[in-house]
Amino acid sequence: MKEFDLNYVHTVYFWLKNSENTRICNIFVQSLQKFLDTSKYAKTKFIGRAPKASRDVVDGSFTYSLIVTFESAEAHEKYQLEDAHLLFIKEVSHLWKKVVVYDSTSM
């Protein structure tokens, strides 16, 4: 893992259609990992799963989360259009029922 870059943070939450199906989850994670391994722009690359919610303010309804950082907003824009990202979407977008994205820049 590369050092966390504070310039631009891209956080994505995925809700898979069949989140209890181990095979489906493995296909999704393998495609996501392949994408991240070949991205030219993504710096920090974190894939997570929702833990058991311990407080009412915690939303643990998602299946997977992704946190990726970039050196700039321009790098993020290039990431959105790079072949690795577009291939990931093509390969597994049929597996998710919902995606929510939160982007942040440093203050």
Side-chain angles (χ1 to χ4, degrees):
M1 181 185 306
K2 296 181 181 178
E3 186 175 331
F4 194 90
D5 193 316
L6 300 175
N7 289 310
Y8 198 99
V9 180
H10 179 66
T11 307
V12 185
Y13 294 92
F14 299 93
W15 285 260
L16 298 187
K17 293 176 185 174
N18 296 305
S19 61
E20 302 302 318
N21 185 313
T22 303
R23 186 180 69 77
I24 296 293
C25 289
N26 287 339
I27 290 168
F28 177 82
V29 170
Q30 287 174 2
S31 180
L32 182 56
Q33 191 63 60
K34 177 179 70 173
F35 153 49
L36 293 175
D37 288 345
T38 58
S39 174
K40 295 181 240 173
Y41 304 101
K43 292 180 81 175
T44 305
K45 304 166 185 180
F46 172 82
I47 301 170
R49 288 214 60 158
K52 294 283 185 200
S54 59
R55 297 171 293 147
D56 290 342
V57 297
V58 176
D59 178 358
S61 65
F62 62 93
T63 312
Y64 290 100
S65 64
L66 169 66
I67 300 173
V68 183
T69 63
F70 302 93
E71 62 187 30
S72 65
E74 294 78 21
H76 172 258
E77 289 303 315
K78 291 177 182 177
Y79 155 92
Q80 290 295 329
L81 300 174
E82 75 176 320
D83 290 341
H85 185 243
L86 298 175
L87 179 60
F88 164 71
I89 293 168
K90 182 179 178 181
E91 285 181 347
V92 295
S93 63
H94 67 283
L95 299 178
W96 64 61
K97 61 183 172 185
K98 179 180 174 182
V99 176
V100 175
V101 177
Y102 296 98
D103 290 338
S104 305
T105 57
S106 60
M107 299 183 344

